[in-house]
């Protein structure tokens, strides 16, 4: 890839954000984190109360990236084969020969929305594990490769717990980022009200294609990270583990810490954030900005923390203050 090709590719990123911004008002930090997950080649879990445009954000991203898109509505009666696909018996009418043929499920798309993922039982949730980690699906002993890029965005609602099945830690760890969506500001909400209650609707045009996304994901891995920052990430992740941590917050309130996958995720996300901002070197600010969505679902707190209303975000804040570069 020539320097001109790289510059042309990077010039599309601000245009992509602008296209999505035609529909999604505000939520700039959320959009950045979603794009970071896309560029880093991972998956993201979006959590927010109803009405904050989680699904609309994913649909708009699909329109702006021109990636094959499928939506899976997770319900209590959803089965793994409803996601992965199944084999069907086919007959050759000429010879009468019968054979089984794999019929791919909706997971075989480049951009997949797993809507309200915690409304389906763990058996069905677990069907996503291999797809998210390995990039393929195994059925009847045969591997079926998923398209590249493969980007899964899942949503869940934090306030309705009746009839839901919390994601197990192994499933949560597969998500590169755990993105929390908050309420818009007064000005943003005013813009939403005025822009969505008339007759005119915003038209989003595709900016990135599948080849562009694949090339950007390769570029992310070429972004530089100094040995000092690499060591900082390593110490930060290791400090989340209560048995060996020297951070008092973790000693008092930690139950389980993050594994090596968290360090890999933090480095890739920092590099993706740098590229998103047109830089070829990740900085300490990149790491600090991405530490909460990378670590909040990988740091488990004990009952004392719950009793004092402390959250994993409080733990990440304490870690960032205590661990030095």
């Amino acid at each position: 890839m020539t320097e001109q090709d790289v510059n042309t590719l990077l010039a599309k990123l601000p245009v992509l954000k602008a296209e999505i911004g035609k529909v999604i008002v505000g939520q700039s930090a959320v959009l950045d984190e979603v794009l970071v997950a896309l560029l880093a080649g991972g998956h993201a879990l979006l959590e927010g109360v109803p009405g904050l445009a989680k699904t609309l954000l994913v649909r708009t991203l699909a329109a702006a990236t021109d990636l094959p898109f499928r939506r899976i509505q997770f319900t209590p009666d959803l089965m793994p084969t409803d996601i992965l696909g199944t084999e069907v018996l086919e007959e050759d009418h000429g010879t009468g020969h019968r054979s089984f043929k794999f019929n791919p499920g909706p997971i075989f798309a480049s951009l997949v929305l797993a809507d309200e993922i915690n409304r389906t039982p763990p058996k069905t949730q677990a069907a996503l594990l291999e797809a998210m980690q390995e990039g393929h699906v195994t059925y009847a002993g045969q591997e079926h490769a998923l398209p590249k890029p493969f980007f899964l965005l899942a949503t869940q609602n934090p306030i309705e717990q009746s009839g839901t099945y919390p994601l197990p830690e192994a499933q949560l760890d597969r998500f590169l980022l755990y993105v929390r969506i908050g309420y818009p500001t007064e000005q943003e909400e005013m813009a939403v009200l005025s822009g969505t209650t008339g007759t005119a609707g915003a038209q989003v045009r595709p900016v990135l294609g599948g080849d562009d996304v694949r090339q950007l994901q390769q570029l992310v891995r070429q972004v530089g990270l100094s040995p000092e920052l690499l060591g900082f990430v390593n110490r930060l992740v290791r400090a989340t583990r209560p048995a060996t941590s020297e951070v008092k917050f973790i000693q008092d309130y930690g139950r389980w810490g993050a594994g090596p996958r968290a360090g890999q995720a933090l480095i890739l996300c920092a590099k993706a954030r740098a590229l998103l901002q047109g830089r070829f070197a990740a900085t300490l600010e990149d790491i600090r900005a991405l530490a909460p969505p990378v670590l909040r679902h990988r740091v488990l707190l004990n009952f004392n923390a719950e009793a004092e209303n402390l959250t994993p975000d409080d733990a990440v804040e304490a870690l960032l203050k205590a661990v030095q570069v």
Side-chain angles (χ1 to χ4, degrees):
M1 190 183 303
T2 66
E3 183 176 350
Q4 180 63 37
D5 294 334
V6 172
N7 291 334
T8 302
L9 204 53
L10 293 183
K12 293 182 178 180
L13 293 175
V15 182
L16 174 67
K17 291 182 65 175
E19 285 296 318
I20 297 174
K22 290 179 179 177
V23 176
I24 303 299
V25 179
Q27 305 289 6
S28 176
V30 171
L31 177 56
D32 282 348
E33 290 176 0
V34 169
L35 294 180
V36 161
L38 173 65
L39 297 185
H43 313 285
L45 175 62
L46 308 180
E47 182 180 88
V49 298
L52 292 183
K54 299 185 292 295
T55 304
L56 181 63
L57 171 61
V58 181
R59 283 189 171 279
T60 308
L61 176 64
T65 53
D66 198 26
L67 295 175
F69 170 69
R70 297 294 297 271
R71 172 182 175 171
I72 307 170
Q73 186 66 48
F74 279 65
T75 55
D77 60 348
L78 193 73
M79 299 297 290
T81 51
D82 296 329
I83 300 172
L84 305 179
T86 187
E87 285 189 335
V88 294
L89 184 62
E90 288 192 338
E91 179 177 348
D92 187 325
H93 295 293
T95 63
H97 177 69
R98 292 182 176 183
S99 61
F100 284 100
K101 179 183 178 184
F102 182 68
N103 189 21
I107 195 73
F108 286 83
S110 289
L111 179 55
V112 176
L113 168 60
D115 209 9
E116 299 190 89
I117 189 173
N118 58 339
R119 293 205 175 277
T120 201
K123 176 182 177 182
T124 306
Q125 293 174 2
L128 295 174
L129 286 174
E130 183 184 21
M132 294 173 68
Q133 185 63 33
E134 308 295 338
H136 60 72
V137 168
T138 302
Y139 191 94
Q142 296 291 321
E143 288 187 2
H144 303 274
L146 293 168
K148 295 182 180 179
F150 172 65
F151 185 36
L152 186 138
L153 283 162
T155 69
Q156 67 177 13
N157 176 358
I159 58 174
E160 293 179 5
Q161 297 305 316
S162 177
T164 62
Y165 304 86
L167 296 179
E169 282 69 26
Q171 181 82 49
L172 284 172
D173 197 37
R174 262 59 176 192
F175 286 102
L176 196 70
L177 295 181
Y178 187 162
V179 180
R180 289 211 168 112
I181 304 178
Y183 288 109
T185 65
E186 182 177 353
Q187 291 78 14
E188 290 169 351
E189 195 157 353
M190 181 67 78
V192 170
L193 295 177
S194 64
T196 57
T197 53
T199 56
Q203 297 296 318
V204 177
R205 64 183 177 87
V207 177
L208 288 182
D211 288 341
D212 295 328
V213 174
R214 282 192 292 273
Q215 289 175 341
L216 285 166
Q217 289 176 345
Q218 291 171 3
L219 277 178
V220 163
R221 292 181 175 269
Q222 298 174 30
V223 172
L225 183 79
S226 69
E228 291 77 16
L229 292 181
L230 188 68
F232 172 67
V233 171
N234 190 31
R235 290 193 298 278
L236 186 68
V237 172
R238 294 179 64 82
T240 65
R241 300 163 190 166
T244 56
S245 180
E246 296 180 355
V247 179
K248 190 172 186 313
F249 188 102
I250 298 299
Q251 292 173 345
D252 292 343
Y253 301 112
R255 183 157 61 96
W256 291 103
R261 187 181 285 135
Q264 296 168 328
L266 188 50
I267 289 171
L268 280 174
C269 289
K271 290 183 174 184
R273 185 176 187 266
L275 196 69
L276 193 61
Q277 298 182 359
R279 292 180 279 111
F280 286 93
T283 65
L284 179 60
E285 176 57 28
D286 294 322
I287 294 171
R288 288 183 174 276
L290 272 308
V294 167
L295 293 176
R296 65 167 57 111
H297 56 303
R298 295 180 166 106
V299 175
L300 302 184
L301 302 183
N302 58 26
F303 292 115
N304 292 332
E306 291 184 21
E308 297 182 30
N309 289 324
L310 296 172
T311 68
D313 280 356
D314 295 320
V316 176
E317 183 179 351
L319 285 162
L320 289 174
K321 286 181 180 175
V323 180
Q324 302 299 313
V325 178

